[in-house]
């Protein structure tokens, strides 16, 4: 059984990570589809899918959508019991849900939800999207409704933000300066020093005092909720480290994505996690495996220089075309060799058993048939 | 038109595109082509992860210039350093150090939507006005982020009524709105989804940001020299007629290549044609680079870029509408 087939049949969580533009969302959706076909109840969390793929998964609206069985199993040959649900990440709504969960009462909840600083955190803070992807994963896990949850991770500015995002947010919420600032109002006596007051006033000159007021109001409203957030972040970390949580690193063979993939692989290892499978999309086919590129180049040059064996306008044109074809083959053989080498370089940095290669496809993947085809390439045959 | 004329349209060119389309390579290509045309060029990176080092064959980038070759420098900007520098320049050293030391910067940057982006753009604007280079090429964040990056001044203008940062946002907004100072060069691939996305990004940038768009770069086009046509039978017939002794293995491989190149070329034509219909902007086609992306490949691409620009008609470039 192939590695990815084992993941879709046995793993509880599959996290697809990698830089943008390497087919990560498509890979996640294809793996989810294979999981459903194997008879499992599957959820796939997508992040900003291309529009046509979103439509295919029934994500036209904002709500979570179960893809009807007759659409992902048109021939009725998939294992019984499978279900496929696609979700689009809504970071702000997910964050609101967290606030709701951990606020002491409706008043605290409303004070936070209406605060402008909170809206900035929920909507725009770098890392929020990553954190909320993990939060959503945890929610789905806790619900017990799914055997397999496949998560597409955001094409982050900073690779692997999703691993650090909870810690970063907690650091933000724990900010010492603003905690001290709130003390006077909370305890009824002044703790904040004059220097600190002056500092905050100066900051106010830069960003406007209204903004400072919002921040202070937020920290006041948030009081008492940090522990809940911290516990939750720990729970997410535990889930990510669980033995049936797996990481699939998706890359393309281009230099920039390879460099990113190597970086990802190292960072995943730094976090004590492991890459279980490595997927390379958009790989050029190797038309002449093991071919001697120099021989092909030599042949192309010789044919171009010498022309046809028995000259004549037709024969010369045929010789030119043949020389061009040989040169093209040599170019593509070189590309294939270079891509192979680059992928081996990433594979060495992971404990993944080799690279699963998805060739450059003639058409973009946006219907279920095409997803199925990718899923087959990724996971191999079902038995 | 020649490249110097092309680059004279605006001093700041923001190169933007979705992940995986080779935006960084195109930024390096434009910069190299401009430097060869005699301009002094500065390439600016703002995301903290850069393929520019590989493109130029230079070690890690810093906040100050790394010189690639005479007339071509590259640097990596980050918002925290930009803020400290900016506050220091206004006699606010005490705040800046305290912000950095206490971690309050994170709180402040979060409180003000787009503050980090404003700081980066403000630094770029300062570089533009100080005339450090004839051309400043910005390797923008990947697509969706590029829009929010460039929308940051508008967002901040809406959210913050007063404060020093507000006046920065105003100045940056006027830089972005002036086609004689700044334009965006979008990068895409000749494939369906990238074409859809570049069209969406283009309209979002024009309508929501109001920034001028330069030509669209269609990257990784099949090289012209890659021949195709005729199918397997023609491949074998040509080889036989020319009397080239090829093995069956060779012929099979050549036929497969012929099919592959033919299919890809048909898709490419269709998508470029569709792009042309949906986005009436001049186009620059850059070839797929078969070698490893590095200084040699960028140098080849710069030559191709210059040749393509030579084929553009001057009035077609926004900011040069006169």
């Amino acid at each position: 059984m192939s590695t990815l087939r084992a993941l879709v049949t046995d793993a509880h969580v599959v996290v697809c990570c990698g830089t943008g533009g390497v087919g990560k969302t498509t890979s996640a959706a294809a793996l989810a589809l294979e999981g459903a076909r194997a008879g499992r109840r599957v959820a796939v969390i997508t992040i900003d899918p291309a529009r046509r793929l979103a439509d295919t998964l029934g994500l036209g609206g904002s709500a979570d959508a179960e893809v009807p069985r007759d659409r992902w199993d048109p021939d009725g040959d998939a294992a019984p019991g499978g279900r496929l649900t696609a979700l689009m990440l809504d970071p702000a709504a997910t964050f609101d849900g967290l606030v709701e969960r951990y606020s002491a009462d409706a008043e605290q909840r409303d004070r936070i939800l209406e605060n402008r600083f909170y809206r900035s955190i929920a909507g725009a803070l770098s890392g929020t999207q990553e954190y909320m992807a993990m939060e959503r994963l945890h929610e789905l896990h806790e619900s017990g409704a799914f055997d397999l949850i496949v998560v597409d991770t955001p094409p982050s500015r900073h690779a692997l933000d999703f691993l650090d995002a909870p810690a970063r947010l907690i650091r933000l919420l724990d900010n010492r300066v603003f905690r001290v600032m709130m003390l006077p109002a909370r305890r009824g006596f002044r703790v904040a020093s004059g220097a600190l007051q002056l500092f905050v006033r100066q900051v106010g000159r830069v960003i406007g005092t209204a903004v400072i007021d919002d921040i202070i109001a937020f920290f006041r409203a948030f009081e008492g909720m940090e522990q809940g957030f911290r516990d939750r972040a720990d729970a997410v970390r535990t889930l990510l480290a669980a033995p049936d949580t797996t990481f699939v690193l998706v890359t393309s063979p281009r230099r920039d994505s390879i460099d990113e993939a190597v970086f990802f692989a190292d960072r995943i290892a730094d976090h004590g996690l492991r890459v279980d499978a490595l997927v390379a999309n958009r790989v050029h086919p190797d038309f002449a495996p093991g071919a001697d590129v120099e021989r092909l180049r030599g042949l192309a040059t010789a044919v171009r220089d010498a022309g046809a064996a028995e000259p004549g306008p037709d024969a010369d044109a045929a010789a030119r075309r043949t020389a061009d074809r040989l040169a093209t083959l040599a170019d593509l053989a070189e590309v294939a060799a270079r891509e192979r080498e680059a992928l081996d370089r990433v594979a060495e940095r992971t404990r993944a058993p080799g690279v699963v290669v998805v060739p450059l496809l003639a058409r973009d993947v946006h219907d279920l048939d095409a997803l199925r085809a990718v899923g087959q390439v990724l996971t191999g045959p079902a038995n | 038109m020649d490249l110097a004329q092309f680059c004279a349209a605006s001093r700041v060119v923001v190169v933007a595109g979705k992940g995986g389309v080779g935006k960084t390579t195109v930024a390096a290509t434009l910069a190299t082509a401009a430097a060869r045309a005699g301009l002094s060029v500065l390439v600016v990176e703002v995301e903290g992860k850069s393929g520019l080092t590989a493109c130029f064959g230079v070690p890690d980038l810093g906040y100050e210039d790394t010189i690639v070759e005479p007339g071509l420098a590259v640097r990596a900007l980050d918002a925290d350093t930009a803020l400290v520098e900016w506050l220091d320049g206004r006699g606010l050293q005490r705040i800046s150090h305290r912000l950095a030391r206490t971690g309050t910067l994170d709180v402040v940057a979060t409180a003000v939507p787009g503050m980090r982006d404003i700081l980066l753009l403000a630094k770029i604007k300062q570089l533009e006005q100080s005339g450090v280079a004839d051309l400043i090429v910005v390797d923008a964040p990947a697509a969706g982020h590029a829009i929010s990056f460039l929308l940051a001044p508008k967002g901040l203008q809406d959210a913050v009524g007063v404060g020093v940062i507000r006046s920065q946002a105003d100045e940056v907004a006027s830089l972005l709105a002036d086609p004689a100072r700044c334009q965006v060069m979008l990068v895409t691939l000749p494939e369906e989804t990238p074409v859809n996305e570049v069209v969406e990004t283009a309209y979002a940038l024009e309508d929501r940001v109001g920034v001028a768009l330069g030509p669209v770069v269609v990257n990784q086009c099949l090289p012209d020299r890659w021949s195709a046509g005729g199918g397997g039978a023609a491949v074998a017939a040509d080889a036989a007629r020319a009397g080239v002794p090829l093995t069956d293995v060779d012929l099979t491989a050549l036929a497969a290549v012929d099919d592959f190149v033919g299919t890809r070329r048909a898709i490419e034509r269709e998508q470029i044609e569709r792009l042309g219909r949906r986005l009436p902007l001049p186009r620059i086609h850059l070839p797929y680079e078969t070698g490893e992306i590095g200084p040699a490949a960028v140098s080849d691409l710069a030559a191709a870029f210059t040749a393509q620009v030579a084929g553009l008609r001057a009035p077609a470039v926004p900011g040069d509408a006169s």
Side-chain angles (χ1 to χ4, degrees):
Chain A
M1 197 192 285
S2 77
T3 311
L4 283 168
R5 163 97 9 225
L7 292 195
V8 298
T9 54
D10 301 334
H12 176 46
V13 174
V14 173
V15 180
C16 292
C17 42
T19 182
V22 295
K24 201 168 33 169
T25 305
T26 305
S27 303
L31 289 173
L33 175 59
E34 286 305 310
R37 292 191 58 91
R40 306 185 78 199
R41 298 168 304 159
V42 183
V44 55
I45 308 174
T46 63
I47 291 155
D48 197 23
R51 186 159 301 159
R52 291 188 63 179
L53 180 63
D55 290 345
T56 292
L57 295 171
L59 291 169
S62 58
D64 309 346
E66 177 163 351
V67 185
R69 188 181 177 101
D70 61 349
R71 295 200 46 229
W72 56 263
D73 183 24
D75 302 329
D77 55 356
R83 302 181 72 165
L84 178 62
T85 300
L87 305 93
M88 182 124 68
L89 183 69
D90 180 345
T94 307
F95 211 140
D96 290 355
L98 268 182
V99 169
E100 177 121 10
R101 172 190 288 251
Y102 291 113
S103 38
D105 51 37
E107 198 217 326
Q108 184 184 28
R109 179 196 67 204
D110 293 346
R111 260 188 298 142
I112 294 174
L113 295 185
E114 285 158 17
N115 182 277
R116 277 195 296 181
F117 177 63
Y118 167 73
R119 299 262 47 114
S120 297
I121 297 181
L125 176 61
S126 139
T128 297
Q129 199 184 26
E130 288 77 5
Y131 182 23
M132 290 308 134
M134 293 303 111
E135 170 55 30
R136 197 81 176 90
L137 162 66
H138 193 267
E139 269 174 27
L140 295 174
H141 158 73
E142 265 193 331
S143 78
F146 299 101
D147 306 314
L148 169 66
I149 307 160
V150 183
V151 201
D152 176 22
T153 53
S156 269
R157 264 182 198 206
H158 300 290
L160 290 188
D161 265 359
F162 68 92
L163 292 173
D164 306 324
R168 178 138 19 86
L169 187 82
I170 284 166
R171 222 169 29 243
L172 176 82
L173 298 176
D174 270 350
N175 186 273
R176 197 172 54 88
V177 170
F178 284 93
R179 304 225 134 261
V180 175
M181 278 302 295
M182 323 173 336
L183 287 176
R186 186 160 54 101
R187 300 256 168 85
F189 58 88
R190 291 186 84 76
V191 174
S193 67
L196 191 54
Q197 299 279 4
L198 176 67
F199 169 58
V200 172
R201 259 207 310 280
Q202 281 177 322
V203 173
R205 268 172 51 208
V206 176
I207 60 174
T209 47
V211 179
I212 294 282
D213 292 346
D214 285 338
I215 298 176
I216 293 173
F218 169 79
F219 277 98
R220 268 184 203 140
F222 197 75
E223 183 72 8
M225 281 176 59
E226 318 85 83
Q227 193 53 45
F229 271 70
R230 215 175 278 128
D231 293 348
R232 191 66 169 188
D234 286 343
V236 168
R237 244 193 313 270
T238 307
L239 176 61
L240 288 179
D244 57 355
T245 294
T246 57
F247 289 83
V248 175
L249 180 55
V250 187
T251 186
S252 89
R254 300 282 299 177
R255 165 90 181 240
D256 45 352
S257 18
I258 289 289
D259 290 346
E260 284 294 297
V262 166
F263 178 70
F264 270 52
D266 291 350
R267 290 284 313 282
I268 288 173
D270 289 347
H271 279 263
L273 304 168
R274 80 219 158 264
V275 174
D276 299 275
L278 183 60
V279 171
N281 283 315
R282 305 182 59 90
V283 176
H284 282 85
D286 190 356
F287 295 103
D292 178 351
V293 175
E294 289 314 311
R295 176 188 153 257
L296 291 170
R297 287 234 184 274
L299 209 49
T301 311
V303 174
R304 190 170 288 126
D305 293 349
E310 286 175 41
D314 280 4
D316 283 341
R320 265 198 310 280
R321 284 196 295 272
T322 303
D324 287 348
R325 288 187 182 115
L326 283 163
T328 308
L329 175 59
D331 275 355
L332 283 164
E334 245 172 47
V335 168
R338 188 166 45 75
E339 289 185 351
R340 193 71 236 170
E341 232 176 78
L343 292 172
D344 287 346
R345 188 154 69 84
V346 187
E348 272 172 27
R349 302 294 266 266
T350 70
R351 268 184 269 157
V355 186
V356 182
V357 166
V358 181
L360 193 59
L361 302 167
R363 291 280 161 197
D364 291 5
V365 177
H366 33 59
D367 58 32
L368 285 162
D369 282 347
L371 266 190
R372 180 79 218 281
V374 173
Q376 294 276 291
V377 173
L378 288 174
T379 60
N383 297 303
Chain B
M1 97 176 98
D2 71 23
L3 199 78
Q5 194 187 350
F6 172 80
C7 293
S10 56
R11 179 169 281 169
V12 177
V13 175
V14 180
V15 181
K18 196 178 152 55
V21 299
K23 151 186 87 62
T24 300
T25 309
V26 171
T29 296
L30 166 64
T32 304
R36 303 234 160 120
L39 282 81
S40 65
V41 184
L42 173 64
V43 188
V44 168
E45 189 280 325
V46 295
E47 265 194 311
K49 62 156 192 192
S50 185
L52 285 172
T53 51
C55 287
F56 289 131
V58 293
D60 284 348
L61 305 177
Y63 195 78
E64 301 301 328
D65 284 0
T66 298
I67 308 293
V68 178
E69 58 184 53
L72 177 55
V74 54
R75 56 165 84 183
L77 299 182
D78 68 277
D80 292 3
T81 312
L83 176 62
V84 169
E85 184 189 57
W86 182 72
L87 290 171
D88 286 357
R90 279 159 186 77
L92 297 167
Q93 284 90 341
R94 286 192 46 203
I95 305 194
S96 69
H97 296 135
R98 196 150 186 181
L99 275 174
R101 208 178 57 240
T102 57
T104 309
L105 184 56
D106 265 351
V107 176
V108 169
T110 305
V112 182
M115 169 130 162
R116 287 178 188 279
D117 295 337
I118 295 287
L119 290 166
L120 293 168
L121 288 165
K123 176 66 187 175
I124 291 165
K125 184 213 66 188
Q126 182 242 317
L127 291 167
E128 179 233 10
Q129 300 209 315
S130 65
V132 291
D134 300 326
L135 177 68
I136 298 173
V137 178
V138 182
D139 184 11
H145 286 314
I147 297 173
S148 58
F149 179 62
L150 296 173
L151 267 177
K154 288 221 162 118
L156 195 135
Q157 285 172 322
D158 292 342
V160 178
V162 291
V164 192
I165 194 76
R166 165 64 197 252
S167 61
Q168 281 297 300
D170 294 345
E171 288 176 33
V172 169
S174 62
L175 166 70
L176 295 180
D178 185 351
R181 291 170 67 195
C182 176
Q183 60 173 314
V184 172
M185 181 181 280
L186 288 168
V187 184
T188 188
L189 299 180
E191 294 173 25
E192 184 181 340
T193 303
V195 164
N196 292 345
E197 283 165 346
V198 82
V199 171
E200 278 171 31
T201 305
Y203 285 109
L205 287 174
E206 270 195 335
D207 298 345
R208 293 170 59 198
V209 183
V211 66
L213 297 177
V216 176
V217 176
V218 183
N219 196 24
Q220 296 176 23
C221 295
L222 291 180
D224 289 337
R225 65 175 189 279
W226 283 6
S227 68
V235 169
D238 278 345
R241 163 159 282 180
V244 183
L246 295 176
T247 64
D248 282 351
V249 174
D250 290 335
L251 287 173
T252 308
L254 288 178
V257 166
D258 189 77
D259 181 51
F260 172 80
V261 174
T263 308
R264 301 292 313 176
R265 214 183 278 289
I267 295 171
E268 189 175 299
R269 286 215 184 95
E270 181 190 331
Q271 296 306 329
I272 289 177
E273 200 254 333
R274 203 164 64 89
L275 174 63
R277 266 186 283 120
R278 293 184 56 191
L279 196 61
L281 287 173
R283 284 190 310 273
I284 289 175
H285 299 162
L286 288 181
Y288 175 80
E289 187 52 54
T290 53
E292 182 86 70
I293 293 297
V298 168
S299 177
D300 287 352
L301 287 168
F305 189 93
T306 305
Q308 287 272 312
V309 167
L312 294 179
R313 285 181 303 118
V317 179
D320 197 22
S322 56

